[in-house]
Amino acid sequence: DTGVSQNPRHKITKRGQNVTFRCDPISEHNRLYWYRQTLGQGPEFLTYFQNEAQLEKSRLLSDRFSAERPKGSFSTLEIQRTEQGDSAMYLCASSLARPVLSYEQYFGPGTRLTVT
Amino acid sequence: GDSVTQMEGPVTLSEEAFLTINCTYTATGYPSLFWYVQYPGEGLQLLLKATKADDKGSNKGFEATYRKETTSFHLEKGSVQVSDSAVYFCALSDQGSGSARQLTFGSGTQLTVLP
């Protein structure tokens, strides 16, 4: 079990450019989450997948954001036409759909995005 | 909607002092409650959890008791160490939020322990 991994760890981009982040969850986990964390705040939910299906999206996820999990394994989060307000840490988490485990989520190290 | 309110930081303590970080919540259903810890330069780690009223979660000397009557889940440790310096987040996962069971986090409390 190698844990949740995210790439890249840091991304600096100019306003208006598109960026894509990747998340590899723990291998047997069928649930995958994306969160955004700004400085001094707790993470905020963006979207959730069960296997390859995207089942829920937060109102925070504007139409410039899109997420995929094509084969129910890794996931990508793309931001189009980045804005300075998109600067944040983007966190990925995974879990098993087992009530007995309280749907515990395990987090990756995050991708820090800076939009200049 | 669901929300979590945490004691504001930063909190600075001397080694071996007693720690309490207050956390209260609002939820529509019967949430599970969690404490996560974020050490400098690292990702969020699950510290402990409780899934129903009066449950006590514990790990690494930290404890928290799920109090439904006061909607609280305060984190405590009897004797902190320098290595406990980190940001602590209280969070809930509510079945009322639907199938996603996403986490709702507090704003975090920065703890610094001095030798």
Side-chain angles (χ1 to χ4, degrees):
Chain A
D1 184 352
T2 57
V4 179
S5 62
Q6 293 187 246
N7 288 289
R9 295 289 305 274
H10 303 273
K11 179 71 177 178
I12 300 174
T13 192
K14 293 185 177 180
R15 189 177 54 186
Q17 298 295 304
N18 299 345
V19 295
T20 300
F21 312 140
R22 176 178 170 127
C23 170
D24 288 89
I26 293 171
S27 58
E28 65 269 26
H29 284 187
N30 56 352
R31 297 164 75 98
L32 187 148
Y33 302 80
W34 286 98
Y35 293 83
R36 181 172 68 187
Q37 184 179 18
T38 53
L39 201 61
Q41 298 299 315
E44 296 174 294
F45 170 72
L46 292 178
T47 190
Y48 149 71
F49 291 83
Q50 177 140 338
N51 300 312
E52 66 276 6
Q54 187 175 18
L55 297 184
E56 193 156 331
K57 292 193 272 189
S58 160
R59 283 171 291 179
L60 292 175
L61 208 68
S62 77
D63 54 9
R64 295 185 298 105
F65 289 69
S66 63
E68 294 182 342
R69 194 182 183 198
K71 295 182 180 179
S73 56
F74 73 91
S75 175
T76 58
L77 178 68
E78 181 183 16
I79 309 175
Q80 296 183 325
R81 305 181 304 280
T82 52
E83 302 173 355
Q84 288 188 321
D86 297 331
S87 295
M89 179 76 86
Y90 290 84
L91 299 171
C92 176
S94 69
S95 74
L96 281 169
R98 286 191 198 166
V100 69
L101 295 179
S102 309
Y103 303 91
E104 291 174 14
Q105 294 180 30
Y106 295 87
F107 283 80
T111 295
R112 181 168 295 284
L113 172 66
T114 303
V115 181
T116 62
Chain B
D2 298 343
S3 66
V4 175
T5 302
Q6 265 183 257
M7 168 178 163
E8 288 192 15
V11 174
T12 303
L13 296 173
S14 297
E15 205 164 26
E16 298 183 3
F18 184 85
L19 169 70
T20 300
I21 300 178
N22 290 338
C23 171
T24 57
Y25 68 89
T26 302
T28 53
Y30 301 93
S32 296
L33 302 174
F34 305 86
W35 278 98
Y36 279 82
V37 59
Q38 191 168 37
Y39 297 103
E42 297 185 18
L44 283 165
Q45 299 177 22
L46 178 62
L47 180 60
L48 53 83
K49 69 175 184 182
T51 59
K52 61 183 187 298
D54 301 324
D55 268 2
K56 178 185 283 187
S58 61
N59 187 26
K60 299 182 180 179
F62 290 89
E63 293 183 341
T65 301
Y66 189 142
R67 301 286 188 200
K68 192 168 187 293
E69 64 276 14
T70 54
T71 61
S72 65
F73 192 55
H74 305 321
L75 182 68
E76 296 182 335
K77 187 175 185 182
S79 176
V80 293
Q81 305 300 310
V82 172
S83 58
D84 294 327
S85 298
V87 182
Y88 292 82
F89 292 92
C90 185
L92 68 81
S93 171
D94 188 1
Q95 65 181 31
S97 66
S99 66
R101 302 300 300 263
Q102 70 266 29
L103 291 166
T104 299
F105 285 87
S107 57
T109 302
Q110 171 79 56
L111 171 66
T112 301
V113 180
L114 303 176

